[in-house]
mmCIF file of all heavy atoms in Angstrom:
data_model
loop_
_atom_site.group_PDB
_atom_site.id
_atom_site.type_symbol
_atom_site.label_atom_id
_atom_site.label_comp_id
_atom_site.label_asym_id
_atom_site.label_seq_id
_atom_site.Cartn_x
_atom_site.Cartn_y
_atom_site.Cartn_z
ATOM 1 N N ASN L 2 -29.949 -1.335 2.444
ATOM 2 C CA ASN L 2 -29.723 -1.019 1.037
ATOM 3 C C ASN L 2 -31.011 -0.586 0.353
ATOM 4 O O ASN L 2 -30.969 0.220 -0.578
ATOM 5 C CB ASN L 2 -29.116 -2.209 0.301
ATOM 6 C CG ASN L 2 -27.628 -2.293 0.520
ATOM 7 O OD1 ASN L 2 -26.960 -1.292 0.731
ATOM 8 N ND2 ASN L 2 -27.104 -3.495 0.467
ATOM 9 N N GLN L 3 -32.135 -1.118 0.800
ATOM 10 C CA GLN L 3 -33.401 -0.763 0.186
ATOM 11 C C GLN L 3 -33.678 0.730 0.372
ATOM 12 O O GLN L 3 -34.043 1.424 -0.581
ATOM 13 C CB GLN L 3 -34.525 -1.589 0.795
ATOM 14 C CG GLN L 3 -35.875 -1.336 0.168
ATOM 15 C CD GLN L 3 -36.970 -2.208 0.778
ATOM 16 O OE1 GLN L 3 -36.763 -2.842 1.806
ATOM 17 N NE2 GLN L 3 -38.120 -2.229 0.159
ATOM 18 N N TYR L 5 -31.441 3.046 1.007
ATOM 19 C CA TYR L 5 -30.408 3.748 0.233
ATOM 20 C C TYR L 5 -30.816 3.841 -1.232
ATOM 21 O O TYR L 5 -30.760 4.914 -1.840
ATOM 22 C CB TYR L 5 -29.071 3.030 0.382
ATOM 23 C CG TYR L 5 -28.007 3.510 -0.573
ATOM 24 C CD1 TYR L 5 -27.304 4.684 -0.331
ATOM 25 C CD2 TYR L 5 -27.710 2.799 -1.731
ATOM 26 C CE1 TYR L 5 -26.332 5.135 -1.206
ATOM 27 C CE2 TYR L 5 -26.740 3.240 -2.608
ATOM 28 C CZ TYR L 5 -26.052 4.413 -2.344
ATOM 29 O OH TYR L 5 -25.100 4.848 -3.217
ATOM 30 N N LYS L 11 -34.806 8.540 -5.870
ATOM 31 C CA LYS L 11 -35.599 9.761 -5.743
ATOM 32 C C LYS L 11 -34.766 10.986 -6.105
ATOM 33 O O LYS L 11 -35.257 11.915 -6.748
ATOM 34 C CB LYS L 11 -36.118 9.881 -4.309
ATOM 35 C CG LYS L 11 -37.093 10.986 -4.098
ATOM 36 C CD LYS L 11 -37.672 10.936 -2.698
ATOM 37 C CE LYS L 11 -38.696 12.032 -2.497
ATOM 38 N NZ LYS L 11 -39.260 12.004 -1.151
ATOM 39 N N GLN L 18 -28.180 9.022 -15.760
ATOM 40 C CA GLN L 18 -27.835 7.910 -14.871
ATOM 41 C C GLN L 18 -26.520 8.163 -14.145
ATOM 42 O O GLN L 18 -26.347 7.753 -13.001
ATOM 43 C CB GLN L 18 -27.740 6.604 -15.665
ATOM 44 C CG GLN L 18 -27.506 5.397 -14.790
ATOM 45 C CD GLN L 18 -27.516 4.112 -15.589
ATOM 46 O OE1 GLN L 18 -27.703 4.125 -16.790
ATOM 47 N NE2 GLN L 18 -27.320 3.003 -14.911
ATOM 48 N N SER L 23 -22.934 16.060 -4.025
ATOM 49 C CA SER L 23 -22.414 15.911 -2.661
ATOM 50 C C SER L 23 -23.413 15.182 -1.754
ATOM 51 O O SER L 23 -23.007 14.431 -0.852
ATOM 52 C CB SER L 23 -22.065 17.269 -2.064
ATOM 53 O OG SER L 23 -23.211 18.085 -1.992
ATOM 54 N N THR L 29 -23.912 7.808 0.393
ATOM 55 C CA THR L 29 -23.148 6.589 0.129
ATOM 56 C C THR L 29 -22.137 6.339 1.232
ATOM 57 O O THR L 29 -21.958 5.207 1.688
ATOM 58 C CB THR L 29 -22.450 6.696 -1.235
ATOM 59 O OG1 THR L 29 -23.446 6.872 -2.237
ATOM 60 C CG2 THR L 29 -21.648 5.450 -1.539
ATOM 61 N N ARG L 42 -19.686 -5.772 14.039
ATOM 62 C CA ARG L 42 -20.476 -6.202 15.191
ATOM 63 C C ARG L 42 -20.819 -7.700 15.109
ATOM 64 O O ARG L 42 -20.780 -8.409 16.115
ATOM 65 C CB ARG L 42 -21.754 -5.383 15.297
ATOM 66 C CG ARG L 42 -21.520 -3.987 15.781
ATOM 67 C CD ARG L 42 -22.811 -3.173 15.764
ATOM 68 N NE ARG L 42 -22.551 -1.791 16.045
ATOM 69 C CZ ARG L 42 -22.925 -1.197 17.178
ATOM 70 N NH1 ARG L 42 -23.572 -1.867 18.099
ATOM 71 N NH2 ARG L 42 -22.653 0.076 17.365
ATOM 72 N N ALA L 43 -21.150 -8.161 13.913
ATOM 73 C CA ALA L 43 -21.472 -9.579 13.741
ATOM 74 C C ALA L 43 -20.247 -10.437 14.025
ATOM 75 O O ALA L 43 -20.339 -11.467 14.709
ATOM 76 C CB ALA L 43 -21.970 -9.830 12.327
ATOM 77 N N VAL L 48 -17.094 -14.067 17.682
ATOM 78 C CA VAL L 48 -15.843 -14.345 18.384
ATOM 79 C C VAL L 48 -16.092 -14.493 19.881
ATOM 80 O O VAL L 48 -15.440 -15.303 20.544
ATOM 81 C CB VAL L 48 -14.815 -13.227 18.111
ATOM 82 C CG1 VAL L 48 -13.626 -13.326 19.029
ATOM 83 C CG2 VAL L 48 -14.371 -13.286 16.654
ATOM 84 N N VAL L 61 -18.210 -23.525 10.426
ATOM 85 C CA VAL L 61 -17.366 -22.487 9.854
ATOM 86 C C VAL L 61 -15.976 -23.045 9.641
ATOM 87 O O VAL L 61 -15.397 -23.646 10.540
ATOM 88 C CB VAL L 61 -17.300 -21.253 10.787
ATOM 89 C CG1 VAL L 61 -16.299 -20.242 10.273
ATOM 90 C CG2 VAL L 61 -18.671 -20.642 10.922
ATOM 91 N N THR L 63 -13.510 -21.016 7.799
ATOM 92 C CA THR L 63 -12.597 -19.882 7.776
ATOM 93 C C THR L 63 -13.327 -18.650 8.275
ATOM 94 O O THR L 63 -14.446 -18.368 7.868
ATOM 95 C CB THR L 63 -12.098 -19.598 6.340
ATOM 96 O OG1 THR L 63 -11.531 -20.798 5.820
ATOM 97 C CG2 THR L 63 -11.057 -18.502 6.334
#
Side-chain angles (χ1 to χ4, degrees):
N2 279 331
Q3 183 178 12
Y5 169 79
K11 188 174 182 180
Q18 185 176 0
S23 61
T29 300
R42 286 175 188 250
V48 168
V61 173
T63 305

